[in-house]
Amino acid sequence: MSDALKHECGIALIRLLKPLEYYKEKYGTAFYGVNKMYLMMEKQHNRGQDGAGFASIKFDPTHGERYISRVRSNKTQPIQDIFAQINARINDEFTKNPTIKDDVAAQKRKIPYIGELMLGHVRYGTFGGNSVETVHPFLRQNNWMHRNLIIAGNFNMTNTTELFQNLIKLGMHPKEKADTITVMEKIGHFLDRDVAKLYRQAKKKGLSKVEASPYIAENLNLEKILKKSAKDWDGGYAMAGLLGHGDAFVLRDPAGIRPAYYYKDDEVIVVASERPVIQTVFNVNFEDVKEVEPGQAILMRKNGAMTVNQILAPLERKSCSFERIYFSRGSDAEIYQERKELGRLIMPKVLEAINYDTENSVFSFIPNTAETSFYGMLDAAQDELNKQKNEAILKEAGNLTEARLTEIQAHKIRTEKIAIKDVKLRTFIADDSSRDDLVAHVYDVTYGVVKPEDNLVIIDDSIVRGTTLKKSILRMLDRLKPKKIVVVSSAPQIRYPDCYGIDMARLEHLVAFNAALELHKERGTFQTIEDVYNKCVQQLALVDAKVINHVKEIYDPFSDEEISDKIAEIIRDDSLTTDVKLIFQSVEDLHKACPNHLGDWYFTGNYPTNGGNRVVNKAYINYYEGNPERAY
């Protein structure tokens, strides 16, 4: 992706089902789980580079022994940093106590981080800043083992303010308004209530206070706790939690917005945000890794039992299509094919733009996530070339010489690596002209392969702000002096903000929105901009279920082509000498490519939860009033 875009988070959960001695004997180390967690987090580093955290729980500790360990980092390379800290602690203990290297029980007693239950998290910060205090997992501590709660998730709630107020109504004093805190405290509230109820039952049964603790741990009703906690949540989430005594859960939102996958055998239960992570780290087949369905939770008990429970009634499935286009690892078997299909489906528009001149066209891509769509585009280009060859042969069949046949057959699709992402530049210079010159060199180009009569077709996975295209990529491509530059987006126009975990909160940062505003100004329909503002303001007091997305009216008068052409004008710098054409994927073809992932609110404004309409209207109000705050 050319535009830098912070997004999503990633979770990883490992529950070891055998004693630690089993892993020492079979795999040569009692740190099998820690090692696997490192791999799972590293293979999800694409999902978060602002911070990383790890927490573990030891089962059945003796009184006075620590059984919860947690480490978090917001350093430049946070995953490496936390595991460097973990390894340092392990090696320090081995140095002080060399006799425990083959004594797994002693290792478990003396060394932190080793345990039977582990939770990892990688984070991109979209709310609450990027201090280490905002890094997951979060910990709610208590001296009663089963009231300790560890939470990490890939989520964003649209109704954090409402959830915060609900906590206040319960008599709480939450330490901050971040959605992680409100979610954790809500779960913690119902966990405390269930513990208190079970304690009363234990007393009625004549159990002592010491005997009450295992009774509570064995009878906690995780399903009921989650149903009560999540009933008012509005957002996209894959939420993981650990309880101090050894129970655990992963809960997915009822629209399936955020992804979660799991695998179980007789050694481990594993949950992650992406399927290929589990496949690679545990060397298992595609079909062995299951998807957590919308509204479901994976419930893991301390005794090793696992169930899949329907916690919330599923809504219409709207799993995020942007996951498929860009966010998730392209090594997933389904995602790889979907991205290729996105490239294939957009090729007819590309052929029109180059007037079907495949001989004088060079095809390339913006590194790196657009590469797979590029392959799909090439497949379609090859189909067109084969068609052209057949037509030429049939047309000249009566007079076709061997030399002419060789000439026709020699025609190939020309592909080159044109754009090269050079460096991550830091711009220390304050004045705009100097900074822009530095930004222009974020990308370099390959010289000597594009001729003046060539069309240069280059595909990107999406265009959000258009800033990098304008300030860097197009300027560099223009130096090659092609006849025409055709920029292709495998995603449709991004018209609406996200509120489920991706850092696209402000409408005025979206180039498609700015293009629509420019069209209103040109056509004298600027009154529409004020009318939409008034309609949004009038809905501020409504409950979310009754709110309508009025921002759609900004786009309604214009065709997709008109907005695309205006975006091309916006991103075309006056210094360019080459004609620029911009082509976007259609929403219809996006659905064809990703038929099981129809969450398209970025492109259509059709939000999967009621809170989405409130957020988009608030984002518009903020734009109109010049308020830079996010809308949720």
Side-chain angles (χ1 to χ4, degrees):
M1 174 182 267
S2 55
D3 287 323
L5 186 64
K6 292 186 176 183
H7 61 88
E8 303 271 355
C9 292
I11 58 171
L13 185 148
I14 297 176
R15 166 66 159 91
L16 300 180
L17 297 173
K18 303 284 190 183
L20 295 179
E21 287 80 4
Y22 171 90
Y23 305 96
K24 169 70 172 174
E25 181 177 347
K26 183 172 181 178
Y27 299 105
T29 176
F31 296 94
Y32 171 83
V34 175
N35 293 338
K36 291 295 188 183
M37 179 58 75
Y38 168 70
L39 292 173
M40 289 182 70
M41 292 176 66
E42 193 60 71
K43 289 186 179 298
Q44 292 186 102
H45 79 274
N46 56 296
R47 302 188 71 85
Q49 296 170 29
D50 286 341
F54 170 94
S56 66
I57 292 177
K58 303 174 189 285
F59 288 1
D60 305 314
T62 59
H63 294 92
E65 289 181 355
R66 285 187 174 272
Y67 57 94
I68 295 177
S69 300
R70 180 180 62 150
V71 58
R72 300 180 293 173
S73 174
N74 64 343
K75 297 291 180 64
T76 305
Q77 294 183 309
I79 299 172
Q80 289 87 343
D81 182 51
I82 63 173
F83 282 95
Q85 293 182 53
I86 290 170
N87 287 331
R89 286 295 304 274
I90 293 170
N91 292 331
D92 184 52
E93 289 296 333
F94 281 153
T95 300
K96 290 190 295 186
N97 301 286
T99 59
I100 69 171
K101 286 192 175 182
D102 293 314
D103 187 342
V104 175
Q107 290 177 22
K108 182 177 174 180
R109 288 195 310 272
K110 293 179 176 294
I111 301 177
Y113 309 115
I114 185 173
E116 291 87 353
L117 184 58
M118 284 153 278
L119 179 60
H121 187 266
V122 291
R123 177 179 191 266
Y124 267 127
T126 59
F127 188 93
N130 288 325
S131 74
V132 73
E133 294 303 317
T134 64
V135 176
H136 299 201
F138 277 41
L139 173 60
R140 188 179 191 260
Q141 290 182 294
N142 196 283
N143 275 333
W144 285 47
M145 185 180 286
H146 34 257
R147 288 174 66 180
N148 283 285
L149 177 62
I150 301 171
I151 289 288
N154 169 22
F155 66 95
N156 226 87
M157 300 299 174
T158 70
N159 61 335
T160 300
T161 299
E162 176 190 339
L163 297 175
F164 183 80
Q165 291 299 323
N166 288 343
L167 294 179
I168 293 172
K169 291 175 183 177
L170 291 171
M172 294 187 189
H173 189 94
K175 62 182 181 181
E176 57 182 284
K177 201 175 180 180
D179 52 6
T180 310
I181 295 294
T182 56
V183 164
M184 183 174 67
E185 291 300 337
K186 193 70 175 292
I187 297 172
H189 169 73
F190 288 107
L191 172 62
D192 290 346
R193 285 182 57 175
D194 205 39
V195 168
K197 184 188 75 172
L198 289 168
Y199 180 69
R200 290 193 296 269
Q201 290 179 6
K203 286 185 70 176
K204 287 182 180 179
K205 291 177 179 289
L207 299 179
S208 68
K209 291 180 179 180
V210 173
E211 293 169 329
S213 285
Y215 173 81
I216 293 170
E218 290 169 10
N219 290 281
L220 275 173
N221 191 333
L222 267 181
E223 180 180 3
K224 187 176 180 180
I225 291 168
L226 291 176
K227 283 182 176 179
K228 288 185 175 181
S229 302
K231 69 175 184 177
D232 296 325
W233 294 351
D234 187 292
Y237 50 87
M239 190 84 60
L242 315 181
L243 274 58
H245 67 280
D247 285 357
F249 66 86
V250 176
L251 172 63
R252 190 181 185 192
D253 69 84
I257 297 170
R258 298 276 74 93
Y261 297 87
Y262 70 97
Y263 166 76
K264 181 183 184 296
D265 60 22
D266 62 342
E267 293 183 358
V268 293
I269 301 170
V270 186
V271 186
S273 293
E274 299 191 27
R275 188 199 326 258
V277 172
I278 300 175
Q279 285 184 254
T280 300
V281 173
F282 291 90
N283 190 25
V284 296
N285 296 323
F286 177 91
E287 58 272 13
D288 294 328
V289 182
K290 309 299 182 184
E291 185 175 8
V292 182
E293 295 298 328
Q296 288 186 348
I298 308 298
L299 303 183
M300 293 156 273
R301 302 310 301 257
K302 194 253 182 182
N303 63 12
M306 187 197 88
T307 59
V308 180
N309 299 59
Q310 194 71 46
I311 302 301
L312 299 165
L315 303 174
E316 182 182 0
R317 185 186 173 98
K318 292 289 184 180
S319 47
C320 174
S321 57
F322 227 163
E323 279 274 358
R324 322 301 288 185
I325 297 166
Y326 167 59
F327 297 141
S328 289
R329 291 170 69 90
S331 56
D332 183 279
E334 289 181 344
I335 290 174
Y336 183 80
Q337 294 301 327
E338 288 165 359
R339 289 181 183 175
K340 284 191 71 176
E341 187 68 2
L342 286 168
R344 191 187 69 78
L345 289 170
I346 206 168
M347 193 59 191
K349 292 182 182 178
V350 175
L351 290 170
E352 288 182 19
I354 63 173
N355 198 27
Y356 295 86
D357 185 4
T358 55
E359 185 171 355
N360 295 301
S361 295
V362 176
F363 296 86
S364 193
F365 62 92
I366 305 293
N368 286 317
T369 48
E371 185 174 2
T372 306
S373 296
F374 170 69
Y375 293 141
M377 190 171 72
L378 286 188
D379 286 347
Q382 189 60 53
D383 290 343
E384 171 62 24
L385 180 57
N386 291 338
K387 178 184 173 184
Q388 292 178 4
K389 289 180 179 180
N390 290 341
E391 289 174 351
I393 291 170
L394 291 172
K395 184 177 179 181
E396 302 178 31
N399 303 305
L400 196 62
T401 65
E402 183 176 347
R404 175 57 180 151
L405 180 61
T406 300
E407 180 185 352
I408 293 171
Q409 296 286 21
H411 185 187
K412 296 179 180 179
I413 296 296
R414 294 165 60 197
T415 64
E416 304 289 349
K417 188 169 184 178
I418 297 294
I420 303 163
K421 193 163 187 179
D422 219 2
V423 290
K424 197 170 185 178
L425 288 174
R426 295 175 180 268
T427 52
F428 299 105
I429 301 172
D431 65 282
D432 290 342
S433 59
S434 297
R435 186 188 298 110
D436 285 352
D437 183 58
L438 286 172
V439 170
H441 290 80
V442 168
Y443 284 86
D444 204 346
V445 288
T446 302
Y447 294 93
V449 294
V450 176
K451 304 190 295 290
E453 63 269 25
D454 286 338
N455 300 299
L456 177 53
V457 179
I458 193 153
I459 189 169
D460 200 356
D461 47 51
S462 57
I463 299 168
V464 183
R465 303 177 187 94
T467 307
T468 310
L469 271 174
K470 181 171 185 172
K471 292 182 178 290
S472 178
I473 294 172
L474 288 177
R475 290 183 183 181
M476 299 305 289
L477 296 179
D478 187 59
R479 295 184 181 189
L480 302 178
K481 304 300 180 186
K483 179 177 70 176
K484 186 178 188 180
I485 297 171
V486 180
V487 180
V488 183
S489 169
S490 68
Q493 298 164 5
I494 297 172
R495 299 181 171 190
Y496 302 93
D498 181 66
C499 52
Y500 304 118
I502 299 161
D503 194 15
M504 296 193 303
R506 294 174 61 180
L507 275 165
E508 64 269 28
H509 287 173
L510 306 179
V511 69
F513 179 74
N514 287 308
L517 295 181
E518 287 298 318
L519 288 170
H520 279 293
K521 292 175 186 176
E522 289 176 5
R523 300 183 185 187
T525 54
F526 200 78
Q527 184 62 39
T528 301
I529 297 172
E530 183 177 347
D531 291 344
V532 170
Y533 168 73
N534 290 330
K535 290 177 181 179
C536 291
V537 170
Q538 289 167 11
Q539 292 192 106
L540 285 175
L542 296 180
V543 295
D544 287 354
K546 294 186 177 181
V547 174
I548 297 169
N549 178 1
H550 284 295
V551 182
K552 290 182 178 183
E553 297 170 30
I554 294 294
Y555 299 99
D556 284 347
F558 313 118
S559 68
D560 291 352
E561 185 74 12
E562 287 173 321
I563 293 175
S564 294
D565 289 344
K566 181 53 65 176
I567 294 173
E569 287 181 29
I570 291 173
I571 65 173
R572 192 185 187 284
D573 191 278
D574 291 339
S575 65
L576 299 189
T577 60
T578 309
D579 182 35
V580 176
K581 174 70 174 175
L582 201 52
I583 297 173
F584 286 90
Q585 187 76 257
S586 69
V587 173
E588 292 75 19
D589 282 346
L590 170 67
H591 290 171
K592 289 178 185 176
C594 309
N596 298 318
H597 304 274
L598 302 178
D600 59 5
W601 56 93
Y602 318 94
F603 320 116
T604 65
N606 297 327
Y607 288 88
T609 74
N610 291 331
N613 289 338
R614 172 177 46 78
V615 169
V616 67
N617 285 352
K618 179 61 176 172
Y620 187 84
I621 292 170
N622 287 350
Y623 146 72
Y624 191 89
E625 295 178 351
N627 182 353
E629 292 183 1
R630 64 173 60 243
Y632 58 91

